[in-house]
Coordinates of all heavy atoms in Angstrom, one line a residue:
M1 N 100.5 82.3 96.8 CA 99.6 81.8 97.7 C 100.3 81.0 98.8 O 101.3 80.4 98.5 CB 98.5 81.0 96.9 CG 98.1 79.7 97.6 SD 96.9 78.8 96.6 CE 98.1 77.6 95.9
I2 N 99.7 81.0 99.9 CA 100.2 80.2 101.0 C 99.1 79.1 101.1 O 97.9 79.3 101.0 CB 100.3 81.0 102.3 CG1 101.3 82.1 102.2 CG2 100.7 80.1 103.5 CD1 102.7 81.7 101.9
K3 N 99.6 77.8 101.4 CA 98.6 76.7 101.6 C 97.6 77.2 102.6 O 97.9 77.8 103.6 CB 99.3 75.5 102.1 CG 100.3 74.9 101.1 CD 101.0 73.7 101.6 CE 102.0 73.2 100.5 NZ 103.0 72.3 101.1
P4 N 96.3 76.9 102.3 CA 95.2 77.4 103.2 C 95.4 77.1 104.6 O 95.2 77.9 105.5 CB 94.0 76.7 102.6 CG 94.3 76.5 101.2 CD 95.8 76.2 101.1
E5 N 95.9 75.9 104.9 CA 96.1 75.5 106.3 C 97.3 76.3 107.0 O 97.3 76.3 108.2 CB 96.4 74.0 106.5 CG 97.7 73.5 105.9 CD 97.6 73.1 104.4 OE1 96.6 73.4 103.7 OE2 98.5 72.5 103.9
K6 N 98.1 77.0 106.2 CA 99.2 77.7 106.8 C 98.9 79.2 106.8 O 99.7 80.0 107.3 CB 100.5 77.5 106.0 CG 101.1 76.1 106.2 CD 101.4 75.7 107.6 CE 102.7 76.3 108.1 NZ 103.0 75.9 109.5
M7 N 97.8 79.7 106.3 CA 97.5 81.1 106.2 C 97.5 81.8 107.6 O 98.1 82.8 107.7 CB 96.1 81.3 105.5 CG 95.8 82.8 105.3 SD 97.1 83.7 104.3 CE 96.7 83.1 102.7
P8 N 96.8 81.2 108.6 CA 96.9 81.9 109.9 C 98.3 82.0 110.4 O 98.7 83.1 110.9 CB 96.0 81.0 110.8 CG 95.1 80.3 109.9 CD 95.9 80.1 108.6
N9 N 99.1 81.0 110.2 CA 100.5 81.0 110.6 C 101.3 82.1 109.8 O 102.1 82.8 110.3 CB 101.2 79.7 110.4 CG 100.6 78.6 111.2 OD1 99.6 78.1 110.9 ND2 101.3 78.3 112.3
A10 N 101.0 82.2 108.5 CA 101.7 83.2 107.7 C 101.4 84.6 108.2 O 102.3 85.5 108.3 CB 101.2 83.1 106.2
L11 N 100.2 84.9 108.5 CA 99.8 86.2 109.0 C 100.4 86.5 110.3 O 100.9 87.6 110.6 CB 98.3 86.4 109.0 CG 97.6 86.4 107.6 CD1 96.1 86.4 107.7 CD2 98.1 87.5 106.7
Y12 N 100.4 85.5 111.2 CA 101.0 85.6 112.5 C 102.5 85.9 112.4 O 103.1 86.7 113.1 CB 100.7 84.3 113.3 CG 101.0 84.3 114.8 CD1 100.6 85.4 115.6 CD2 101.5 83.2 115.4 CE1 100.9 85.4 116.9 CE2 101.8 83.2 116.7 CZ 101.4 84.3 117.5 OH 101.7 84.2 118.9
A13 N 103.2 85.2 111.5 CA 104.6 85.4 111.3 C 104.9 86.7 110.7 O 105.8 87.4 111.1 CB 105.1 84.3 110.3
L14 N 104.1 87.2 109.8 CA 104.3 88.5 109.2 C 104.1 89.6 110.3 O 104.9 90.5 110.4 CB 103.2 88.8 108.1 CG 103.2 90.2 107.5 CD1 104.6 90.6 107.0 CD2 102.2 90.3 106.4
Q15 N 103.1 89.4 111.2 CA 103.0 90.3 112.3 C 104.2 90.3 113.1 O 104.7 91.4 113.6 CB 101.8 89.9 113.1 CG 101.6 90.8 114.4 CD 100.6 90.2 115.3 OE1 100.5 89.0 115.4 NE2 99.9 91.0 116.1
S16 N 104.8 89.2 113.3 CA 106.0 89.0 114.2 C 107.2 89.8 113.5 O 108.0 90.4 114.3 CB 106.4 87.6 114.3 OG 105.4 86.9 115.0
V17 N 107.3 89.7 112.2 CA 108.4 90.5 111.5 C 108.2 92.0 111.8 O 109.2 92.7 112.1 CB 108.4 90.1 110.0 CG1 109.4 91.0 109.3 CG2 108.7 88.7 109.8
L18 N 107.0 92.4 111.7 CA 106.7 93.9 111.9 C 107.0 94.3 113.3 O 107.5 95.4 113.6 CB 105.3 94.2 111.4 CG 105.1 94.0 109.9 CD1 103.6 94.2 109.6 CD2 105.9 94.9 109.1
I19 N 106.7 93.4 114.2 CA 106.9 93.7 115.7 C 108.4 93.8 115.9 O 108.9 94.7 116.6 CB 106.3 92.6 116.6 CG1 104.8 92.7 116.6 CG2 106.9 92.6 118.0 CD1 104.1 91.5 117.2
K20 N 109.2 92.9 115.3 CA 110.7 92.9 115.4 C 111.2 94.2 114.8 O 112.1 94.9 115.4 CB 111.3 91.7 114.7 CG 112.8 91.7 114.8 CD 113.4 91.6 116.2 CE 114.9 91.6 116.2 NZ 115.4 91.5 117.6
A21 N 110.7 94.6 113.6 CA 111.2 95.9 113.0 C 110.8 97.1 113.9 O 111.7 98.0 114.1 CB 110.5 96.1 111.7
K22 N 109.7 97.1 114.5 CA 109.3 98.2 115.4 C 110.2 98.2 116.7 O 110.7 99.2 117.1 CB 107.8 98.0 115.9 CG 107.3 99.1 116.7 CD 105.8 99.1 116.9 CE 105.4 97.9 117.8 NZ 104.0 98.0 118.1
E23 N 110.5 97.0 117.2 CA 111.4 96.9 118.3 C 112.8 97.5 118.0 O 113.4 98.2 118.7 CB 111.6 95.4 118.8 CG 112.6 95.2 119.8 CD 113.0 93.7 120.0 OE1 112.2 92.9 119.6 OE2 114.0 93.5 120.6
M24 N 113.3 97.1 116.8 CA 114.6 97.6 116.3 C 114.5 99.1 116.2 O 115.5 99.8 116.6 CB 114.9 97.0 114.9 CG 115.2 95.5 115.0 SD 115.3 94.7 113.4 CE 116.7 95.6 112.7
A25 N 113.5 99.7 115.7 CA 113.4 101.2 115.6 C 113.4 101.8 116.9 O 114.1 102.8 117.1 CB 112.1 101.5 114.8
Y26 N 112.7 101.3 117.9 CA 112.7 101.8 119.2 C 114.0 101.7 119.9 O 114.3 102.5 120.8 CB 111.6 101.2 120.1 CG 110.2 101.7 119.8 CD1 109.2 100.9 119.5 CD2 109.9 103.1 119.7 CE1 107.9 101.3 119.2 CE2 108.7 103.6 119.4 CZ 107.7 102.7 119.2 OH 106.4 103.1 118.9
Q27 N 114.8 100.7 119.5 CA 116.1 100.5 120.2 C 117.2 101.2 119.4 O 118.4 100.9 119.5 CB 116.4 99.0 120.3 CG 115.5 98.3 121.3 CD 115.9 96.8 121.4 OE1 116.6 96.3 120.6 NE2 115.2 96.2 122.4
S28 N 116.9 102.1 118.5 CA 117.8 102.8 117.7 C 118.7 101.9 116.8 O 119.9 102.1 116.7 CB 118.7 103.7 118.6 OG 117.9 104.6 119.3
A29 N 118.1 101.0 116.2 CA 118.9 100.1 115.2 C 119.3 101.0 114.1 O 118.7 102.0 113.8 CB 117.9 99.0 114.7
S30 N 120.4 100.5 113.4 CA 120.8 101.3 112.3 C 119.8 101.3 111.2 O 119.0 100.4 111.1 CB 122.1 100.7 111.7 OG 121.9 99.5 111.0
A31 N 119.8 102.4 110.4 CA 118.8 102.5 109.3 C 119.0 101.3 108.3 O 118.0 100.8 107.8 CB 119.0 103.8 108.6
R32 N 120.2 100.9 108.2 CA 120.5 99.8 107.2 C 119.9 98.5 107.7 O 119.2 97.7 107.0 CB 122.0 99.6 107.1 CG 122.4 98.4 106.2 CD 123.9 98.3 106.0 NE 124.2 98.3 104.6 CZ 124.5 99.4 103.9 NH1 124.5 100.6 104.4 NH2 124.7 99.3 102.6
D33 N 120.0 98.2 109.1 CA 119.4 97.0 109.6 C 117.8 97.1 109.5 O 117.2 96.1 109.2 CB 119.8 96.8 111.1 CG 121.2 96.3 111.2 OD1 121.8 95.8 110.2 OD2 121.8 96.4 112.3
L34 N 117.3 98.2 109.9 CA 115.9 98.4 109.8 C 115.3 98.3 108.4 O 114.3 97.6 108.1 CB 115.5 99.7 110.5 CG 114.0 100.0 110.7 CD1 113.4 98.9 111.5 CD2 113.8 101.3 111.4
G35 N 116.1 98.9 107.5 CA 115.7 98.8 106.1 C 115.8 97.4 105.6 O 114.9 96.9 104.8
G36 N 116.7 96.6 106.0 CA 116.9 95.2 105.6 C 115.7 94.3 106.0 O 115.2 93.6 105.2
I37 N 115.3 94.5 107.3 CA 114.2 93.6 107.7 C 112.9 94.0 107.1 O 112.1 93.2 106.7 CB 114.1 93.6 109.3 CG1 113.2 92.4 109.7 CG2 113.6 94.9 109.8 CD1 113.2 92.1 111.2
L38 N 112.8 95.3 106.8 CA 111.6 95.8 106.1 C 111.6 95.4 104.6 O 110.5 95.2 104.1 CB 111.4 97.3 106.2 CG 111.1 97.8 107.6 CD1 111.1 99.3 107.7 CD2 109.7 97.3 108.1
D39 N 112.7 95.2 104.0 CA 112.8 94.6 102.7 C 112.2 93.2 102.7 O 111.5 92.9 101.7 CB 114.3 94.5 102.2 CG 114.8 95.9 101.7 OD1 114.0 96.8 101.5 OD2 116.0 96.0 101.6
Y40 N 112.5 92.4 103.7 CA 111.9 91.1 103.8 C 110.4 91.2 104.0 O 109.7 90.5 103.3 CB 112.5 90.3 104.9 CG 113.9 89.7 104.7 CD1 115.0 90.2 105.2 CD2 114.0 88.6 103.9 CE1 116.3 89.7 105.0 CE2 115.3 88.0 103.6 CZ 116.4 88.5 104.2 OH 117.6 88.0 104.0
A41 N 110.0 92.1 104.9 CA 108.6 92.2 105.2 C 107.8 92.6 104.0 O 106.7 92.2 103.8 CB 108.4 93.2 106.4
E42 N 108.4 93.4 103.2 CA 107.7 93.9 102.0 C 107.4 92.8 101.0 O 106.3 92.8 100.4 CB 108.7 94.9 101.2 CG 108.1 95.4 100.0 CD 109.1 96.3 99.3 OE1 110.2 96.6 99.8 OE2 108.8 96.8 98.1
M43 N 108.2 91.7 101.0 CA 107.9 90.6 100.1 C 106.9 89.6 100.6 O 106.2 88.9 99.8 CB 109.3 89.9 99.8 CG 110.2 90.6 99.0 SD 109.6 91.1 97.4 CE 109.4 89.4 96.6
L44 N 106.8 89.5 101.9 CA 105.9 88.5 102.5 C 104.4 88.6 102.0 O 103.9 87.5 101.6 CB 106.0 88.5 104.0 CG 107.4 88.1 104.5 CD1 107.4 88.2 106.1 CD2 107.8 86.7 104.1
P45 N 103.8 89.8 102.0 CA 102.5 89.8 101.5 C 102.3 89.4 100.0 O 101.3 88.8 99.6 CB 102.1 91.3 101.6 CG 102.9 91.8 102.7 CD 104.2 91.0 102.6
R46 N 103.4 89.6 99.2 CA 103.4 89.2 97.8 C 103.3 87.7 97.7 O 102.6 87.2 96.9 CB 104.7 89.7 97.2 CG 104.8 89.4 95.7 CD 106.0 90.0 95.1 NE 106.1 89.6 93.7 CZ 107.2 89.7 93.0 NH1 108.2 90.4 93.5 NH2 107.3 89.3 91.8
F47 N 104.0 87.0 98.6 CA 103.9 85.5 98.6 C 102.6 85.1 99.0 O 102.0 84.1 98.4 CB 105.0 84.9 99.5 CG 106.4 85.2 99.1 CD1 107.4 85.4 100.0 CD2 106.8 85.1 97.8 CE1 108.7 85.7 99.7 CE2 108.1 85.4 97.4 CZ 109.1 85.6 98.3
I48 N 102.0 85.7 99.9 CA 100.6 85.4 100.4 C 99.6 85.6 99.3 O 98.7 84.7 99.1 CB 100.2 86.2 101.6 CG1 101.1 85.8 102.8 CG2 98.7 86.1 101.9 CD1 100.9 86.7 104.1
A49 N 99.7 86.6 98.5 CA 98.8 87.0 97.5 C 99.0 86.3 96.1 O 98.1 86.3 95.3 CB 98.8 88.5 97.3
S50 N 100.1 85.6 96.0 CA 100.5 85.0 94.7 C 99.4 83.9 94.4 O 98.9 83.3 95.2 CB 101.9 84.4 94.8 OG 102.1 83.6 93.6
E51 N 99.2 83.7 93.1 CA 98.4 82.6 92.6 C 99.1 81.3 92.7 O 98.4 80.2 92.7 CB 97.9 82.9 91.2 CG 96.9 84.1 91.1 CD 96.4 84.3 89.8 OE1 96.4 83.4 88.9 OE2 95.8 85.4 89.5
E52 N 100.4 81.3 92.7 CA 101.1 80.0 92.9 C 101.4 79.7 94.3 O 101.4 80.6 95.2 CB 102.4 80.2 92.1 CG 102.2 80.3 90.6 CD 103.5 80.4 89.8 OE1 104.6 79.9 90.3 OE2 103.5 81.0 88.8
D53 N 101.7 78.5 94.6 CA 102.1 78.1 96.0 C 103.5 78.6 96.3 O 104.5 78.2 95.8 CB 102.0 76.6 96.1 CG 102.3 76.1 97.6 OD1 102.6 76.9 98.5 OD2 102.2 74.9 97.8
E54 N 103.5 79.6 97.2 CA 104.8 80.2 97.6 C 105.1 79.9 99.1 O 105.9 80.5 99.7 CB 104.7 81.7 97.5 CG 104.5 82.2 96.0 CD 105.7 82.1 95.2 OE1 106.8 81.6 95.6 OE2 105.6 82.5 94.0
T55 N 104.5 78.8 99.6 CA 104.7 78.5 101.1 C 106.1 78.3 101.4 O 106.6 78.8 102.4 CB 103.8 77.3 101.4 OG1 102.4 77.5 101.0 CG2 103.9 77.0 102.9
D56 N 106.8 77.5 100.6 CA 108.2 77.2 100.9 C 109.1 78.5 100.8 O 110.0 78.7 101.6 CB 108.8 76.1 99.9 CG 108.1 74.8 100.2 OD1 107.6 74.5 101.3 OD2 108.2 73.9 99.2
K57 N 108.8 79.3 99.8 CA 109.6 80.5 99.7 C 109.3 81.5 100.9 O 110.2 82.1 101.4 CB 109.2 81.2 98.4 CG 110.1 82.4 98.0 CD 111.5 81.9 97.7 CE 112.2 83.1 97.0 NZ 113.6 82.7 96.7
F58 N 108.1 81.5 101.3 CA 107.7 82.3 102.5 C 108.5 81.9 103.7 O 109.1 82.7 104.4 CB 106.2 82.2 102.7 CG 105.6 83.1 103.7 CD1 105.1 84.3 103.4 CD2 105.6 82.8 105.1 CE1 104.5 85.2 104.3 CE2 105.0 83.6 106.0 CZ 104.5 84.8 105.6
R59 N 108.5 80.5 103.9 CA 109.3 80.0 105.0 C 110.8 80.3 104.9 O 111.4 80.6 105.9 CB 109.0 78.5 105.1 CG 109.6 78.0 106.5 CD 109.5 76.5 106.6 NE 110.0 76.1 107.9 CZ 111.3 76.1 108.3 NH1 112.2 76.5 107.4 NH2 111.6 75.7 109.5
E60 N 111.3 80.2 103.7 CA 112.7 80.5 103.5 C 113.0 82.0 103.9 O 114.1 82.2 104.6 CB 113.1 80.4 102.0 CG 113.2 78.9 101.6 CD 113.5 78.8 100.1 OE1 114.0 79.8 99.5 OE2 113.1 77.8 99.5
Y61 N 112.2 82.9 103.5 CA 112.4 84.3 103.9 C 112.3 84.4 105.5 O 113.1 85.1 106.1 CB 111.3 85.2 103.3 CG 111.8 85.8 102.0 CD1 112.2 85.0 100.9 CD2 111.7 87.2 101.8 CE1 112.6 85.6 99.7 CE2 112.1 87.7 100.6 CZ 112.5 86.9 99.6 OH 112.9 87.5 98.4
L62 N 111.4 83.7 106.1 CA 111.3 83.8 107.5 C 112.6 83.2 108.2 O 113.0 83.8 109.2 CB 110.1 83.0 108.0 CG 108.7 83.6 107.7 CD1 107.6 82.7 108.2 CD2 108.5 85.0 108.2
A63 N 113.1 82.2 107.6 CA 114.3 81.6 108.2 C 115.5 82.6 108.0 O 116.3 82.7 108.9 CB 114.6 80.3 107.4
E64 N 115.6 83.3 106.9 CA 116.6 84.3 106.7 C 116.5 85.4 107.7 O 117.5 85.9 108.3 CB 116.6 84.8 105.3 CG 117.1 83.8 104.3 CD 117.0 84.3 102.9 OE1 117.0 85.5 102.6 OE2 116.9 83.4 101.9
I65 N 115.2 85.8 108.0 CA 115.0 86.9 109.0 C 115.4 86.4 110.3 O 116.1 87.1 111.1 CB 113.5 87.3 109.0 CG1 113.1 88.0 107.6 CG2 113.2 88.2 110.1 CD1 111.6 88.1 107.4
A66 N 115.0 85.2 110.7 CA 115.3 84.6 112.0 C 116.8 84.6 112.2 O 117.3 84.9 113.3 CB 114.7 83.2 112.2
D67 N 117.5 84.1 111.2 CA 119.0 84.0 111.3 C 119.7 85.4 111.4 O 120.5 85.7 112.2 CB 119.6 83.3 110.2 CG 119.5 81.8 110.3 OD1 119.2 81.3 111.5 OD2 119.7 81.0 109.4
G68 N 119.3 86.2 110.4 CA 119.9 87.5 110.2 C 119.6 88.5 111.3 O 120.4 89.4 111.6
Y69 N 118.5 88.4 112.0 CA 118.1 89.4 112.9 C 117.8 88.9 114.3 O 117.2 89.5 115.2 CB 116.8 90.2 112.4 CG 117.1 90.9 111.1 CD1 116.9 90.3 109.9 CD2 117.8 92.1 111.1 CE1 117.2 91.0 108.7 CE2 118.1 92.8 110.0 CZ 117.8 92.2 108.8 OH 118.1 92.8 107.6
K70 N 118.3 87.6 114.5 CA 118.3 87.0 115.9 C 116.9 87.0 116.4 O 116.6 87.5 117.5 CB 119.3 87.7 116.8 CG 120.7 87.9 116.3 CD 121.4 86.6 116.1 CE 122.8 86.8 115.8 NZ 123.1 86.7 114.4
C71 N 115.9 86.5 115.7 CA 114.5 86.5 116.2 C 113.9 85.1 115.7 O 113.0 85.1 114.8 CB 113.8 87.7 115.7 SG 113.8 88.0 113.9
A72 N 114.3 84.1 116.4 CA 113.8 82.7 116.0 C 112.2 82.6 116.1 O 111.6 81.8 115.5 CB 114.4 81.7 116.9
F73 N 111.6 83.5 117.0 CA 110.2 83.4 117.2 C 109.4 83.7 115.9 O 108.3 83.2 115.7 CB 109.7 84.4 118.2 CG 109.9 85.9 117.9 CD1 108.8 86.6 117.3 CD2 111.0 86.6 118.1 CE1 108.9 87.9 117.0 CE2 111.2 87.9 117.8 CZ 110.1 88.6 117.2
V74 N 110.0 84.4 114.9 CA 109.4 84.7 113.7 C 109.1 83.4 112.9 O 108.0 83.1 112.4 CB 110.2 85.6 112.8 CG1 109.8 85.7 111.4 CG2 110.3 87.0 113.4
L75 N 110.1 82.5 112.9 CA 110.0 81.2 112.2 C 109.1 80.3 113.0 O 108.3 79.5 112.5 CB 111.3 80.6 112.0 CG 111.4 79.3 111.1 CD1 110.8 79.6 109.7 CD2 112.8 78.9 110.9
Q76 N 109.2 80.3 114.3 CA 108.4 79.5 115.2 C 106.9 79.7 115.0 O 106.1 78.8 114.9 CB 108.7 79.7 116.7 CG 110.0 79.1 117.1 CD 110.3 79.4 118.6 OE1 110.3 80.6 118.9 NE2 110.5 78.4 119.4
R77 N 106.6 81.0 114.8 CA 105.2 81.3 114.6 C 104.6 80.8 113.3 O 103.4 80.7 113.1 CB 105.0 82.8 114.7 CG 105.1 83.3 116.2 CD 104.8 84.7 116.4 NE 104.9 85.0 117.8 CZ 104.7 86.2 118.3 NH1 104.6 87.2 117.5 NH2 104.8 86.4 119.6
F78 N 105.5 80.5 112.4 CA 105.0 79.9 111.1 C 105.0 78.4 111.2 O 104.0 77.8 110.7 CB 105.9 80.3 109.9 CG 105.4 79.9 108.6 CD1 104.3 80.4 108.0 CD2 106.0 78.8 107.9 CE1 103.8 80.0 106.8 CE2 105.6 78.4 106.7 CZ 104.4 79.0 106.1
D79 N 105.9 77.8 111.9 CA 106.0 76.3 112.0 C 105.1 75.7 113.0 O 104.6 74.6 112.8 CB 107.5 75.9 112.3 CG 108.4 76.2 111.1 OD1 107.9 76.3 110.0 OD2 109.6 76.2 111.3
E80 N 104.9 76.4 114.1 CA 104.1 75.8 115.2 C 102.6 76.1 115.0 O 102.3 77.0 114.2 CB 104.5 76.4 116.5 CG 105.9 75.9 116.9 CD 106.5 76.5 118.2 OE1 105.8 77.3 118.8 OE2 107.6 76.2 118.5
P81 N 101.7 75.5 115.6 CA 100.3 75.8 115.5 C 100.0 77.2 115.7 O 100.5 77.8 116.7 CB 99.6 74.9 116.5 CG 100.5 73.8 116.7 CD 101.9 74.4 116.6
A82 N 99.1 77.8 114.9 CA 98.7 79.2 115.1 C 97.9 79.3 116.3 O 97.2 78.4 116.7 CB 98.0 79.7 113.9
P83 N 97.9 80.5 116.9 CA 97.0 80.7 118.1 C 95.6 80.7 117.6 O 95.3 81.0 116.5 CB 97.5 82.1 118.6 CG 98.0 82.8 117.4 CD 98.6 81.7 116.6
P84 N 94.7 80.5 118.6 CA 93.2 80.6 118.2 C 92.9 82.0 117.7 O 93.4 83.0 118.1 CB 92.5 80.2 119.5 CG 93.5 80.3 120.6 CD 94.9 80.3 120.0
T85 N 91.9 82.0 116.8 CA 91.4 83.3 116.3 C 90.5 83.9 117.3 O 89.8 83.2 118.1 CB 90.8 83.2 115.0 OG1 89.7 82.3 115.1 CG2 91.7 82.7 113.9
W86 N 90.3 85.2 117.3 CA 89.4 85.9 118.2 C 88.0 85.9 117.7 O 87.7 86.1 116.7 CB 89.9 87.3 118.5 CG 91.2 87.3 119.1 CD1 91.5 86.9 120.4 CD2 92.5 87.7 118.6 NE1 92.8 87.0 120.7 CE2 93.5 87.5 119.6 CE3 92.9 88.2 117.4 CZ2 94.8 87.8 119.4 CZ3 94.2 88.5 117.2 CH2 95.1 88.3 118.2

């Protein structure tokens, strides 16, 4: 589980990871790099759905993604206020 107040941020960050993966695919990233970021993305919904508080672990994964794939915006979207909902 993600703390309720961080849920919009968690979903926004997950969306950002998928956007980065799509960008990598369009830019002909190596299959290894694309597979790596998707490995991270695969775990994020599990943290969201967990019955235990996984907020810190979720953020750690985002930090690893931000560092490893040069996309700081992924972590920013979790740490900063979420955009308004539609």
Side-chain angles (χ1 to χ4, degrees):
M1 141 184 93
I2 300 296
K3 293 177 184 169
E5 67 271 14
K6 293 302 282 184
M7 184 59 74
N9 296 78
L11 296 173
Y12 192 42
L14 175 56
Q15 177 193 31
S16 300
V17 172
L18 297 173
I19 288 169
K20 179 62 179 179
K22 185 169 69 171
E23 174 192 343
M24 291 168 64
Y26 283 128
Q27 292 179 353
S28 300
S30 76
R32 177 177 237 90
D33 287 340
L34 189 54
I37 196 169
L38 290 173
D39 282 343
Y40 282 105
E42 178 183 355
M43 290 300 296
L44 296 176
R46 181 175 174 194
F47 295 141
I48 291 171
S50 174
E51 292 185 16
E52 296 181 25
D53 183 357
E54 300 284 4
T55 306
D56 292 338
K57 189 69 167 175
F58 189 92
R59 190 186 183 287
E60 286 174 25
Y61 267 56
L62 294 177
E64 290 177 22
I65 294 166
D67 280 347
Y69 298 95
K70 312 291 187 264
C71 54
F73 69 94
V74 167
L75 188 55
Q76 284 178 306
R77 288 185 173 175
F78 187 71
D79 289 341
E80 295 177 0
T85 58
W86 296 291

